[in-house]
């Protein structure tokens, strides 16, 4: 048997073998490829979903805290509500006399006390210190001094 | 962008374009759909396995497109993936396959007299093992060079040459001899050709 004849027959019979693929097969292949592409895009979706869920939960918690938070200290009253209470002015006919009533009395008292102190001091000083000499003595002293000067001359 | 000019592109150029544009791969799938089905249906006798392997092969080729080496043909790469998928599916149905093989007739010799009228590939499927048959089909059915066959079969190139030679020898021995029916009956009597 010739090898070349065998190979040629194999080739010719192979060329004659050309089965039609099922119609659904090509569509199935393309669908499978599209599914793979969708799956490649899919991993991003869970992250997005988790992100949105976290954001929504945080917003809900923040809203709940704002709405139902426990009551704190009473807020300060508004300035407009403050009622100004004014005391009636004393009805004094002469304000200067009123001023003297509070100002002059202490000064007079102090002056009086000061005068008393000074008089006591005068008594003390005159009692301790000797009284000053008379004018006669002084004249004699002056006369004696003059005499001595003339004698020397 | 896939345009009408993409029809004139080579498989390798289209594969490179498919890295950025998925529609280019659809073009490749449509281009090789029929040829891959032909190869798989010749290699496997189970139509369900053929369809599953074909779908898996295209999906895997799409997802692993960045691993494609343009040094080789796109069909070589596609056949490699498809054959592996077919093997995986066949392993799952090993029991069923063994039952099928057991049901085959014990006498593998064709009952026809003339060499050309014999269904050579049908006979080859009966007398050759799966690797021998696939290698023979890739060489003479798909006209792949031994270098590409070695890549598909994941074997050295020497193994491809030896396997093809051995497969031809086995097939030749299984076919009716040119020297006539008398010689055949003599061979059967002596038990040489079995």
């Amino acid at each position: 048997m010739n090898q070349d004849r065998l190979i040629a027959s194999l080739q010719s019979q192979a060329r004659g073998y050309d089965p039609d693929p099922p119609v659904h097969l090509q569509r199935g292949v393309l669908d499978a490829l599209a599914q793979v592409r969708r799956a490649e895009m899919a991993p991003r979706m869970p992250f997005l979903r988790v992100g949105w869920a976290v954001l929504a939960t945080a917003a809900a918690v923040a809203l709940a805290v704002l709405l139902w938070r426990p009551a704190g200290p009473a807020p300060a009253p508004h300035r407009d509500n403050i009622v100004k209470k004014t005391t009636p002015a004393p009805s004094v006919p002469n304000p200067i006399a009123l001023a003297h009533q509070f100002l002059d009395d202490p000064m007079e008292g102090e002056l009086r006390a000061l005068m008393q102190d000074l008089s006591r001091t005068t008594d003390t000083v005159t009692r301790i210190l000797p009284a000053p000499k008379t004018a006669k003595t002084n004249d004699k002293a002056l006369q004696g001094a003059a005499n001595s000067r003339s004698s020397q001359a | 962008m896939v345009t009408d000019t993409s029809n004139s592109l080579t498989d390798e150029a289209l594969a490179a374009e498919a890295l950025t544009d998925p529609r280019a791969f659809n073009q490749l799938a449509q281009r090789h759909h029929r040829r891959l089905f032909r190869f798989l249906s010749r290699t496997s006798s189970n139509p369900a396995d053929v369809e599953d392997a074909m779908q898996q092969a295209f999906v895997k080729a799409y997802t692993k497109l960045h691993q494609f080496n343009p040094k080789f043909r796109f069909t070589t790469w596609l056949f490699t993936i498809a054959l592996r998928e077919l093997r995986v599916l066949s392993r799952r149905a090993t029991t069923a396959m063994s039952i099928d093989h057991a049901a085959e007739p014990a006498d593998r010799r064709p009952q026809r007299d003339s060499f050309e009228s014999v269904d050579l590939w049908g006979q080859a499927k009966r007398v050759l093992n799966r690797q021998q048959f696939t290698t023979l089909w890739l060489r003479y059915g798909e006209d792949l060079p031994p270098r590409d066959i070695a890549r598909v079969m994941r074997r050295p190139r020497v193994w491809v040459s030896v396997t093809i030679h051995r497969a031809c020898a086995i097939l030749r021995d299984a076919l009716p001899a040119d020297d006539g029916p008398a010689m055949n009956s003599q061979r059967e009597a002596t038990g040489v050709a079995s």
Side-chain angles (χ1 to χ4, degrees), chain B residues 106-159:
Chain B
D107 185 12
R108 291 178 171 179
R109 187 173 296 277
Q111 299 302 315
R112 300 176 186 180
D113 293 333
S114 89
F115 169 71
E116 277 76 11
S117 62
V118 173
D119 177 14
L120 287 175
W121 288 107
Q123 180 66 10
K125 203 160 195 175
R126 281 188 287 272
V127 297
L128 302 178
N129 65 33
R130 190 172 295 174
Q131 285 194 332
Q132 288 169 339
F133 178 83
T134 307
T135 309
L136 200 68
W137 176 261
L138 288 171
R139 183 72 188 99
Y140 299 120
E142 303 292 340
D143 289 329
L144 287 187
R147 185 187 74 138
D148 287 10
I149 297 170
R151 188 170 173 80
V152 173
M153 301 300 292
R154 298 181 175 276
R155 297 284 187 143
R157 203 183 300 184
V158 177
W159 179 91

Side-chain angles (χ1 to χ4, degrees), chain A residues 1 4 27-28 41 49 62 71 77 97 101 103 105 107 113 140 150:
Chain A
M1 188 181 298
D4 294 337
R27 190 176 297 167
M41 298 293 289
R49 282 179 192 164
Q101 187 181 347
L103 293 173
D105 283 350
M107 288 182 72
K140 284 179 182 175
S150 61

Side-chain angles (χ1 to χ4, degrees), chain A residues 21-94:
Chain A
V23 181
H24 67 272
L25 188 55
Q26 187 172 4
R27 190 176 297 167
V29 168
L30 294 177
D31 285 348
L33 289 172
Q35 199 172 349
V36 170
R37 283 172 202 139
R38 278 198 297 273
E40 283 177 350
M41 298 293 289
R44 296 175 190 170
M45 294 303 288
F47 291 108
L48 280 177
R49 282 179 192 164
V50 169
W52 280 115
V54 167
L55 275 177
T57 309
V61 167
L63 196 66
V65 166
L66 283 174
L67 288 176
W68 293 292
R69 68 178 173 180
H78 202 265
R79 284 189 173 188
D80 295 339
N81 298 331
I82 296 174
V83 179
K84 290 182 178 177
K85 291 182 179 177
T86 53
T87 52
S91 56
V92 178
N94 189 1

Side-chain angles (χ1 to χ4, degrees), chain A residues 1 3 5-7 9-11 13-14 17-22 24-26 28-29 32-33 36-37 40, chain B residues 22 26 30 33-34 37-38 41 51 54-55 58-59 62-63 115-116 118 120-121 140-141 168 172 176 178:
Chain A
M1 188 181 298
Q3 174 88 2
R5 269 182 62 202
L6 176 66
I7 290 168
S9 298
L10 283 170
Q11 285 174 330
Q13 286 192 13
Y17 180 77
D18 192 16
D20 289 326
H24 67 272
L25 188 55
Q26 187 172 4
V29 168
L33 289 172
V36 170
R37 283 172 202 139
E40 283 177 350
Chain B
N26 283 5
Q30 285 169 354
H33 174 255
R34 194 178 184 91
F37 178 77
R38 179 172 174 255
S41 59
E51 291 185 14
M54 194 163 159
Q55 193 163 313
F58 276 117
V59 167
Y62 175 71
T63 53
F115 169 71
E116 277 76 11
V118 173
L120 287 175
W121 288 107
Y140 299 120
C168 284
R172 208 167 42 237
D178 284 344

